[in-house]
Amino acid sequence: MKNIRNFCIIAHIDHGKSTLADRLLERTKTISEKEMEAQVLDDMELEKERGITIKSHAIQMDYELDGEKYVLNLIDTPGHVDFSYEVSRSIAACEGALLVVDASQGIQAQTISNLYMAIDNDLEIIPVLNKCDLESAKPEEVEDQIIDLLGCDRDEIIRASGKTGMGVDEVLKAIVERVPAPKGDPKVPLQALIFDSVFNPFRGIIAYFKIENGTIHTGELVKFVSNGKEYHADEIGILRLNMEPRKELSAGNVGYIISGIKTSKEVKVGDTITSVARPCEKAIEGFEEVKPMVFAGVYPIDAEDFENLRASLEKLQLNDASLTFQPESSVALGFGFRCGFLGLLHMEIVQERLGREFDMDVITTVPNVSYKVYDKKGNVTEVHNPSGLPDPNLIDYIEEPYIRATIITAADYIGPIMTLCLSKRGELVKQEYISGNRMEITFDMPLGEIVIDFYDKLKSISKGYASFDYHLHDFRESKLVKLDILLNGESVDALSTLTHADNAVKFGRRMCEKLKELIPRQQFDVAIQAAIGAKIIARETIKAVRKDVTAKCYGGDITRKRKLLEKQKAGKKRMKQIGSVEVPQKAFLAVLKLD
């Protein structure tokens, strides 16, 4: 056990985690040259296309130093704030972390929040300065930032480059020398922590675990502590590029178990596996429950696919434990699910994965956050969906969630960023210089305001330099109103939103204009209205597609023309009563891109 090292790679987005992992795999000859490709651990199509890591990936490497053989278990983690739950779970399966910092960009918001996560779990931190081969690299300046942040010595920082392979040997050596071996006893009863799982259509559910104590053997009868169910360990093994079966695994190892489980509810991330013959006394502390930030309805386009959608979401949840969902129904869209996401990118990725991995065509409604509604009797209800709002006469006041946002940026962009945050009802908490030209600004902002387009705007006004990180801070009383969108007098509940009273009129007007562009013209006039309660605050009309019925009348009496027009008018009126307005999927997503 003294020769096992478990470590993960943490960093901000695009600081080169996956490329550095490629070099480590190459240097330890875990992957042959034939199998080598860029970002080899990112095995999902989506990850390759977008160039981001979405899932954390575990892989085992063999390494020899001074004639002694070591086993290194590496977990490559995502960098985006929406996937921070992946990072927290990976950290729980490790004893050390490589903190990768881009030598040209320096320390950014997600670097700091991931670092604090690692420090909370008592991980040994090895700072690595990546991309030192770039002409724009500022190694001395960035090293100063790392020293300020970590309080380490300059010679502890390793200069490396994932692209050229410089410094990779030093990184491997540092892992062996600085990361502590796992603590645990192979002789005591088995305790293994499940930190991830995937669904395989042929083999059932495969759970990934880290053994804290004890030993597990193939064919052994094991049980999952949370539900008390017993299974045979049909196959256990280690994670290489492909899964490699082993006869036994003991404390300190990271591996997988296949036990023929078919129902996804039986495997829970954070659960403990123990032996039936010698059960452990208590379960390992799991992970804290994830708190979704953004809620949106996900509905099948075809109502018959409701059960398929449920099965797809359950399988996806195995692989992405931060997704939460519960059934709901909508007048306009039928039966579907109310899903909780960690942010907008997470929502987009889940929607894409449902389409690609499970062939599910879904409609996603406007995302919103959860509010606390206090009625006049003093009762509190949590509302995730504007249609669940009680009657306005019964509401005493509404509280909305506020976040504490940290933005790190170059001082040149401070003006536009301040303007953006204040326009989103933000309150400045503090601002301070971190080093040189870099500033850290802290704002308290309503979560509902940043959910839609804040991140994109922040990136564009700061030319991509500002980095942004946030956590839920508290709930505060707000003057919120429910804005309904009516098509021909009927409310479309999938488009209704809760918004601040000051923004409501402007937002309603923009919504109506946008929907006028997106909804196709019908044979009759379509009125699009935005309303607060019974008061209409904006209106647009989509003109009917007209056929010139008077074309055949040339000359003659005006009453002939009038008669034809009246006949057409009566037909349109009848059509309007039975015709329904189809709202395209684009319209639901248009709300996100209102500028």
Side-chain angles (χ1 to χ4, degrees):
M1 216 171 109
K2 67 179 201 310
N3 288 7
I4 297 176
R5 301 285 182 272
N6 299 320
F7 69 100
C8 58
I9 304 184
I10 53 176
H12 191 76
I13 317 158
D14 277 349
H15 280 204
K17 297 178 290 300
S18 300
T19 314
L20 185 65
D22 287 353
R23 295 294 83 77
L24 295 173
L25 295 175
E26 223 173 41
R27 196 56 56 94
T28 54
K29 300 194 171 51
T30 306
I31 289 182
S32 63
E33 281 180 27
K34 194 171 78 187
E35 293 170 307
M36 194 64 214
E37 50 178 280
Q39 278 91 26
V40 70
L41 290 179
D42 292 350
D43 51 12
M44 218 186 292
E45 256 181 45
L46 259 177
E47 294 179 313
K48 294 260 194 269
E49 269 173 36
R50 292 175 177 240
I52 55 174
T53 304
I54 294 168
K55 280 291 304 165
S56 42
H57 300 274
I59 190 163
Q60 194 177 89
M61 310 182 281
D62 295 324
Y63 177 62
E64 197 172 312
L65 182 68
D66 304 333
E68 235 185 290
K69 289 191 170 150
Y70 292 90
V71 171
L72 311 181
N73 288 311
L74 146 75
I75 302 180
D76 178 27
T77 64
H80 196 283
V81 65
D82 282 12
F83 305 116
S84 55
Y85 193 57
E86 286 286 324
V87 184
S88 72
R89 301 203 323 258
S90 308
I91 284 174
C94 296
E95 281 83 34
L98 295 182
L99 179 72
V100 177
V101 181
D102 185 329
S104 59
Q105 293 190 25
I107 283 174
Q108 304 213 305
Q110 207 50 34
T111 317
I112 297 173
S113 72
N114 286 345
L115 171 70
Y116 286 151
M117 248 193 271
I119 290 174
D120 287 346
N121 281 316
D122 296 333
L123 264 59
E124 179 64 40
I125 309 290
I126 301 175
V128 177
L129 198 57
N130 196 21
K131 305 194 184 179
C132 286
D133 58 317
L134 294 182
E135 284 178 16
S136 57
K138 311 183 284 277
E140 272 79 20
E141 194 181 308
V142 179
E143 275 180 0
D144 291 341
Q145 293 173 17
I146 296 175
I147 292 166
D148 285 350
L149 181 69
L150 282 175
C152 61
D153 296 332
R154 194 175 287 273
D155 54 5
E156 285 177 32
I157 302 170
I158 302 168
R159 291 192 185 187
S161 160
K163 196 166 159 195
T164 62
M166 140 192 181
V168 173
D169 290 324
E170 286 85 354
V171 172
L172 285 165
K173 201 170 161 197
I175 290 164
V176 170
E177 288 171 356
R178 296 193 218 167
V179 175
K183 297 176 183 69
D185 186 347
K187 295 186 176 66
V188 299
L190 173 70
Q191 263 186 324
L193 175 74
I194 299 178
F195 66 89
D196 206 351
S197 54
V198 291
F199 180 79
N200 181 313
F202 306 107
R203 312 209 56 183
I205 290 157
I206 303 170
Y208 297 158
F209 60 76
K210 180 198 176 188
I211 304 176
E212 299 282 345
N213 285 308
T215 307
I216 185 169
H217 302 270
T218 305
E220 188 175 352
L221 194 60
V222 294
K223 81 168 177 190
F224 288 20
V225 175
S226 71
N227 58 15
K229 293 207 169 171
E230 299 179 0
Y231 307 98
H232 283 282
D234 297 336
E235 185 183 305
I236 58 168
I238 56 167
L239 298 156
R240 288 291 167 96
L241 198 52
N242 301 311
M243 298 185 291
E244 288 187 10
R246 290 284 186 270
K247 285 277 181 268
E248 68 166 43
L249 289 173
S250 58
N253 264 301
V254 173
Y256 70 90
I257 176 169
I258 301 174
S259 47
I261 305 172
K262 293 285 185 283
T263 43
S264 42
K265 287 195 178 71
E266 292 174 24
V267 177
K268 214 167 133 233
V269 165
D271 197 358
T272 305
I273 303 175
T274 187
S275 166
V276 174
R278 289 173 67 201
C280 58
E281 285 174 15
K282 64 179 203 313
I284 304 168
E285 296 261 321
F287 310 105
E288 55 189 74
E289 281 294 307
V290 60
K291 292 185 193 70
M293 294 280 190
V294 176
F295 294 88
V298 173
Y299 293 86
I301 286 180
D302 195 346
E304 293 164 2
D305 285 340
F306 175 70
E307 281 305 324
N308 292 349
L309 180 60
R310 182 198 295 273
S312 304
L313 282 168
E314 281 176 356
K315 286 171 190 168
L316 192 56
Q317 195 179 33
L318 273 176
N319 197 237
D320 180 356
S322 50
L323 171 69
T324 57
F325 63 91
Q326 63 202 56
E328 69 160 5
S329 63
S330 136
V331 182
L333 300 168
F335 289 102
F337 293 93
R338 182 107 207 121
C339 296
F341 307 99
L342 295 187
L344 271 196
L345 178 69
H346 186 208
M347 175 177 131
E348 210 178 305
I349 295 292
V350 166
Q351 202 180 338
E352 280 266 317
R353 285 183 70 183
L354 280 171
R356 289 183 184 206
E357 294 172 28
F358 304 101
D359 283 337
M360 291 300 310
D361 280 337
V362 293
I363 289 178
T364 313
T365 64
V366 181
N368 45 44
V369 299
S370 58
Y371 298 91
K372 285 184 178 170
V373 179
Y374 291 80
D375 61 17
K376 295 194 169 149
K377 294 176 185 165
N379 302 325
V380 190
T381 43
E382 203 168 278
V383 174
H384 301 310
N385 193 348
S387 59
L389 211 62
D391 195 297
N393 310 330
L394 305 174
I395 297 173
D396 187 17
Y397 62 95
I398 302 176
E399 284 188 345
E400 66 174 332
Y402 265 69
I403 56 159
R404 176 64 54 94
T406 310
I407 298 170
I408 296 179
T409 173
D412 322 350
Y413 306 115
I414 214 90
I417 289 176
M418 289 274 202
T419 314
L420 173 68
C421 294
L422 294 169
S423 74
K424 298 281 188 189
R425 300 191 283 134
E427 297 165 16
L428 182 64
V429 180
K430 63 170 190 209
Q431 63 182 70
E432 55 189 358
Y433 276 95
I434 316 177
S435 62
N437 190 28
R438 293 154 56 76
M439 284 192 81
E440 179 176 21
I441 330 171
T442 309
F443 267 93
D444 279 351
M445 296 166 74
L447 179 60
E449 293 280 346
I450 70 148
V451 150
I452 290 181
D453 55 358
F454 177 79
Y455 194 66
D456 296 346
K457 284 186 176 166
L458 177 72
K459 281 291 178 199
S460 57
I461 60 178
S462 66
K463 302 193 170 57
Y465 275 110
S467 60
F468 168 70
D469 184 46
Y470 63 87
H471 59 266
L472 203 58
H473 189 53
D474 56 2
F475 277 79
R476 299 184 192 178
E477 191 177 330
S478 261
K479 204 167 132 202
L480 297 166
V481 290
K482 180 183 169 195
L483 181 75
D484 284 312
I485 299 293
L486 312 174
L487 292 182
N488 278 344
E490 281 183 31
S491 168
V492 181
D493 57 351
L495 286 172
S496 60
T497 46
L498 272 177
T499 178
H500 197 265
D502 301 347
N503 303 342
V505 175
K506 200 167 104 193
F507 187 69
R509 197 169 295 140
R510 275 166 40 210
M511 278 276 284
C512 290
E513 287 165 7
K514 193 80 180 173
L515 288 171
K516 184 180 177 183
E517 291 169 26
L518 290 166
I519 293 175
R521 289 171 70 185
Q522 314 284 334
Q523 295 280 329
F524 48 87
D525 282 3
V526 178
I528 303 171
Q529 294 165 310
I532 296 172
K535 183 181 167 199
I536 304 291
I537 55 168
R539 169 176 172 138
E540 292 284 336
T541 308
I542 301 174
K543 282 294 180 201
V545 182
R546 291 192 54 134
K547 178 182 167 198
D548 190 359
V549 288
T550 57
K552 60 184 182 217
C553 292
Y554 48 94
D557 191 1
I558 185 68
T559 53
R560 287 178 58 204
K561 282 189 179 176
R562 195 158 294 147
K563 186 177 158 195
L564 286 168
L565 288 170
E566 287 300 324
K567 191 174 160 193
Q568 185 188 29
K569 195 168 159 190
K572 297 246 181 212
K573 190 176 172 188
R574 197 166 59 247
M575 194 186 289
K576 186 173 179 172
Q577 283 163 355
I578 58 164
S580 64
V581 185
E582 287 284 311
V583 183
Q585 164 72 15
K586 272 196 237 146
F588 295 109
L589 299 177
V591 191
L592 310 185
K593 301 194 169 64
L594 282 182
D595 271 335

